[in-house]
Structures are given as C-alpha cells and as structure tokens.
Amino acid sequence: MTEQTLAIIKPDAVKKDAIGDIIRRYEAAGLKPVAIKMMRLTKQTAEGFYAVHRQRPFFDSLTTFMASGPVVVLVLEGKDAIKRNRDLMGATDPAKASPDTIRAAYGTNIEYNAVHGSDSPETARFEIGYFFSGMELGA
C-alpha cells in the first residue's frame, strides 16, 4: 500500500553534510520526497513535536538537541513507506544498527542518531500535519 511518512534529518547529520546522501538513500529505497524543507526548530516547537515523550527522562535533552541547529523535514511517499523508512534508518542506538543503515553511517549515539521517522500511520498523520500544510502537500 502506498503511504506517506515523515522523516527528519536531525542537526547532527546536517552538521556532517549528510543531507544529500541521506536523501539519495531514501530515493534508492523507493521512497520519494513529496515535500521538503529546511528549518530551525525552536525549543517550544521541538517540545510540541515530541510531546508524547514529555514525561520521559530524555525529553529535555532531546528537545534541546533538536533546537540546536537546522533540520531537514521531509514527507516520503512509497509502498509501505513507514516500515521501509524505519528499516533504512536502523536501530535507535547507532551502535546496534545494521552497517548499511543511515544511523550506522551518521549517528553518534542513542540521542544524536541522525534521523527521525514516523513509527505508525497515526503518528505519520500527526507529524506530517505538524510541519506541512495541505497546500504544501498538493492537497
């Protein structure tokens, strides 16, 4: 089934000049970018995006990190896009990620792990709507 998912190239990967390679990996995996923008999240915007994790011990450091530099936010579309993107990203901890994954290539640790991807259709709908209007998506 064709679906959409949100992907974020995080500040650590942007700083490593990995944007082009990461997008190339998405495209090579059959995930077509249908919306893309570079932006700088405020701490408040990052907190809203990650609100589901508000009670977790890593919430403050995660949102501070996400506001520390520019990010690239993308909507990827393709067959089983959510699962395919999650497989392409690799394990949350880059040390445990398969060698051919984005996180193994560009992640530093469990927090500075290069990319974010939606984990379910419901999450994808919320996350895409958080960053993109219907007009930006051609709706």
Side-chain angles (χ1 to χ4, degrees):
M1 167 177 76
T2 298
E3 62 187 2
Q4 292 184 335
T5 189
L6 186 90
I8 301 175
I9 302 173
K10 294 182 178 182
D12 56 328
V14 171
K15 190 174 182 177
K16 291 177 182 177
D17 297 323
I19 297 167
D21 183 56
I22 292 171
I23 292 173
R24 181 196 57 74
R25 288 172 184 246
Y26 293 146
E27 290 177 322
L31 298 170
K32 180 181 179 179
V34 295
I36 183 171
K37 58 181 149 185
M38 180 178 257
M39 61 193 315
R40 179 90 184 236
L41 302 181
T42 64
K43 175 87 163 142
Q44 183 178 11
T45 303
E47 288 173 349
F49 181 73
Y50 286 108
V52 67
H53 297 302
R54 189 169 300 281
Q55 302 305 318
R56 306 289 292 271
F58 59 81
F59 179 75
D60 186 61
S61 62
L62 172 62
T63 55
T64 298
F65 163 61
M66 290 300 289
S68 70
V71 298
V72 177
V73 185
L74 309 95
V75 177
L76 302 174
E77 187 174 274
K79 184 177 187 317
D80 299 318
I82 295 168
K83 181 184 181 334
R84 290 171 66 198
N85 185 44
R86 306 271 315 159
D87 291 346
L88 187 62
M89 289 189 319
T92 304
D93 182 349
K96 297 177 182 173
S98 297
D100 59 339
T101 63
I102 294 169
R103 287 179 169 155
Y106 296 109
T108 303
N109 57 46
I110 200 161
E111 187 166 286
Y112 295 7
N113 62 9
V115 288
H116 166 89
S118 304
D119 61 5
S120 71
E122 298 75 28
T123 304
R125 277 192 292 281
F126 165 77
E127 292 180 346
I128 291 167
Y130 195 83
F131 289 111
F132 293 95
S133 70
M135 189 166 66
E136 290 173 304
L137 298 169

